[in-house]
Amino acid sequence: MLSSLMSKDNGAEGSDLTGKILSALGPVIAEHWPKIEPYADKALAAAQNDETIEMLARNVYPWLPMVVRLAIKEDKFVAFTLEHKGPLLAKLAEVKNKETT
């Protein structure tokens, strides 16, 4: 079930879920910004480097709400992050710009 939720072939339902997840990550990133900030520049600079994106996802995962971590295991979250790194990096850049201004 979860793999189908993260599949690109899932159409509107998948994009709706992606939007909800991306929306939920904004407040998490903002709340934990001091912990994320050391990784943010590295992740943004190395947007094409999947190892850096994976490291960022694994470091962010423990800060997600418990209900999210119960529903989505770490490996699935990392896979989702890698698959959607463009929008996630855009959200990260958005939060970074808000925090530094």
Side-chain angles (χ1 to χ4, degrees):
M1 178 181 150
L2 196 50
S3 61
S4 68
L5 291 175
M6 291 194 267
S7 171
K8 288 181 180 178
D9 298 328
N10 206 20
E13 183 180 320
S15 64
D16 186 46
L17 177 64
T18 299
K20 287 179 182 178
I21 291 171
L22 292 174
S23 295
L25 283 177
V28 171
I29 292 171
E31 179 182 345
H32 297 286
W33 183 249
K35 298 172 193 170
I36 295 171
E37 186 175 19
Y39 304 103
D41 289 332
K42 190 186 274 188
L44 291 169
Q48 299 305 314
N49 183 340
D50 285 351
E51 290 174 9
T52 304
I53 303 301
E54 181 177 343
M55 177 188 67
L56 178 65
R58 291 195 186 279
N59 282 294
V60 167
Y61 182 80
W63 303 323
L64 294 174
M66 178 63 78
V67 69
V68 173
R69 288 183 284 140
L70 288 172
I72 303 172
K73 298 302 176 205
E74 184 175 359
D75 289 339
K76 295 290 184 184
F77 177 74
V78 170
F80 175 87
T81 302
L82 289 169
E83 184 177 329
H84 298 90
K85 68 182 177 183
L88 290 168
L89 289 170
K91 179 63 76 177
L92 182 61
E94 177 186 319
V95 172
K96 180 180 186 287
N97 289 334
K98 285 181 184 175
E99 295 295 324
T100 59
T101 57

